[in-house]
Amino acid sequence: MLIDLCELSPSYVRSIAPYQPGKPIAELAREMGMDEAKIVKLASNENPRGIGPRTRAAIEAAIGEVARYPDGNGFELKQALARRYGVDMASIVLGNGSNDVLELVALAFLGPGRAAVYSQHCFAVYPLATQARGARSIVVPAKDYGHDLDAMAKAVDDETYVAWIANPNNPTGTFARSEVVEAFLRKLPERVLVVLDEAYNEYLPHDLKADSTRWLKRHPNLVITRTFSKAYGLAGLRVGYALAHPSVADVMNRVRQPFNVNSMALAAAAAALDDMEFVARSYADNLQGLRQLEEGAKRLGLDFIPSYGNFITVRVAQGGKSAAEIYKRLLRRGVIVRPVGGGYGLPEHLRVTVGTAGENEKFLDALSASLKD
Ligand SMILES: Cc1ncc(COP(=O)(O)O)c(C=O)c1O
């Protein structure tokens, strides 16, 4: 071959560092010759409860229809979301996970000559989506691990068309209170779309949960994204959505794949949205699990970043051992967590998803042993 085929893609695409997902259980089992059943995966912020019976029934019922294309407009799910949030169906964009709707924002509003602003330690997809469009990244240093929204507002320039904010943020678990987010929205020019990524919204305590959907009327440049992957337990089916001004939603819908959400996901999400009890239990379990992990970290003398999500990021590097080394030692003990060095810029930390009480215990035991080895 005379040419390097990779060179055919634009340089801004070639320079993208690939997304590093949590290590799958089957992969670790293969690599280490371990029994899959003995492995605990706390690496991808999934819901340890699985799914509720009503959602399971909806998925089973949807199996009979898989020979047909799904409803490309997702009417039933959009109707349920519109009712829940008091928005028009024209304000909703469905995605193959909320990751998909983030990409749709980038596809529709970013490109060469444009810029997006985001924070240090933000969710990895923001730099990926920005770079893949050939847009410039404006990275603002974090404050106490969280988004410094004042500094982000100041960093906006004439080429900025998107501001990415995760609230709570992954991987830091930090949270910006509603008055701070509203002040940010008031400061930004209308030209800048503010993508408020609320993937972990359902894990917030009631008194902190702002009704951000009400801000949509006052701020037509606001795009709220949410997901069924976390508290609703549907990470494997891939379904998320954006709520936005109908004109913004319209452009996003024009660039999405016609059938970007599959029929099982549509049916499952509609059923899961109705199952408020399942979400309430997921919230309560998560709070308990977070406390368990916090207490465990304290017992081991480790600092952690107080988290508002379904995960916690713990500083494990100590006594000459790096976080990368602790990560490997945990793997050897059958526990998968998430390294957050590299792109996330937290080389001394590991991110741990809240699992069941038993999984959390197994992680804490393995961590204790890994720190001592
Ligand atoms: C902040 C944030 N946003 C979006 C996502 C994407 O999730 P999904 O595509 O499963 O909806 C994640 C996943 O971990 C996340 O942490």
Side-chain angles (χ1 to χ4, degrees):
M1 192 163 311
L2 294 175
I3 51 167
D4 177 357
L5 296 177
C6 182
E7 296 280 324
L8 299 177
S9 73
S11 60
Y12 55 80
V13 172
R14 268 181 283 137
S15 59
I16 291 174
Y19 181 79
Q20 298 285 352
K23 196 176 191 62
I25 290 178
E27 190 178 297
L28 181 65
R30 258 192 327 270
E31 285 172 2
M32 303 259 185
M34 280 177 186
D35 178 356
E36 281 192 26
K38 297 214 169 99
I39 295 174
V40 166
K41 183 185 174 215
L42 301 174
S44 301
N45 300 346
E46 296 145 342
N47 190 333
R49 283 192 81 81
I51 52 170
R54 281 202 255 164
T55 304
R56 185 176 298 276
I59 293 169
E60 279 164 9
I63 291 174
E65 290 299 312
V66 293
R68 298 196 182 281
Y69 282 100
D71 172 2
N73 285 318
F75 181 86
E76 200 192 325
L77 178 57
K78 276 192 190 170
Q79 195 178 45
L81 288 166
R83 232 183 278 130
R84 169 70 56 87
Y85 297 119
V87 298
D88 279 352
M89 284 169 69
S91 292
I92 304 172
V93 182
L94 300 180
N96 184 34
S98 60
N99 198 146
D100 189 24
V101 290
L102 298 173
E103 298 281 351
L104 295 178
V105 170
L107 195 53
F109 295 97
L110 290 177
R114 295 187 173 207
V117 64
Y118 52 81
S119 173
Q120 178 191 20
H121 312 314
C122 70
F123 181 47
V125 166
Y126 310 156
L128 273 178
T130 302
Q131 213 176 323
R133 299 295 302 139
R136 180 166 51 88
S137 291
I138 303 172
V139 189
V140 175
K143 192 162 127 193
D144 299 329
Y145 296 107
H147 293 19
D148 183 345
L149 292 180
D150 282 340
M152 284 176 71
K154 284 193 189 115
V156 163
D157 62 19
D158 288 349
E159 290 183 343
T160 310
Y161 280 81
V162 172
W164 304 106
I165 299 175
N167 203 33
N169 183 47
N170 168 25
T172 56
T174 46
F175 172 71
R177 299 182 78 94
S178 59
E179 57 274 18
V180 179
V181 179
E182 275 195 282
F184 179 75
L185 283 166
R186 281 195 297 270
K187 268 184 224 158
L188 285 212
E190 236 182 48
R191 185 201 68 242
V192 182
L193 285 189
V194 177
V195 180
L196 184 60
D197 175 348
E198 298 189 323
Y200 301 97
N201 177 267
E202 291 80 4
Y203 292 111
L204 288 171
H206 191 69
D207 56 327
L208 289 185
K209 212 185 276 185
D211 186 2
S212 49
T213 55
R214 278 201 337 232
W215 302 338
L216 287 165
K217 286 221 161 60
R218 246 173 293 143
H219 300 284
N221 56 334
L222 174 64
V223 180
I224 296 169
T225 66
R226 295 204 184 156
T227 184
F228 286 93
S229 298
K230 310 295 176 186
Y232 293 95
L234 293 175
L237 278 181
R238 315 299 304 123
V239 51
Y241 56 95
L243 307 175
H245 187 279
S247 307
V248 173
D250 173 40
V251 187
M252 288 170 67
N253 271 317
R254 283 190 233 174
V255 292
R256 72 177 170 81
Q257 286 182 37
F259 303 107
N260 62 334
V261 186
N262 71 75
S263 46
M264 305 254 268
L266 287 171
L273 188 69
D274 258 358
D275 196 345
M276 309 283 271
E277 195 191 323
F278 180 85
V279 177
R281 280 176 198 268
S282 298
Y283 165 77
D285 286 359
N286 184 63
L287 211 56
Q288 242 175 14
L290 264 182
R291 297 297 160 258
Q292 185 187 0
L293 291 174
E294 285 174 358
E295 291 305 318
K298 279 186 203 157
R299 273 200 307 277
L300 295 170
L302 301 175
D303 291 337
F304 54 85
I305 308 172
S307 174
Y308 292 86
N310 66 342
F311 56 87
I312 186 162
T313 294
V314 184
R315 181 185 276 131
V316 296
Q318 54 159 241
K321 286 183 206 106
S322 66
E325 178 56 31
I326 301 289
Y327 169 69
K328 280 192 217 139
R329 291 176 186 198
L330 287 170
L331 286 182
R332 288 199 284 272
R333 293 185 161 88
V335 176
I336 311 173
V337 296
R338 186 69 153 269
V340 282
Y344 283 120
L346 293 163
E348 297 189 337
H349 291 74
L350 291 175
R351 192 196 68 195
V352 188
T353 301
V354 175
T356 61
E359 289 172 335
N360 299 338
E361 196 62 45
K362 176 159 178 172
F363 158 72
L364 289 169
D365 287 347
L367 179 60
S368 170
S370 299
L371 291 167
K372 282 186 204 129
D373 281 353

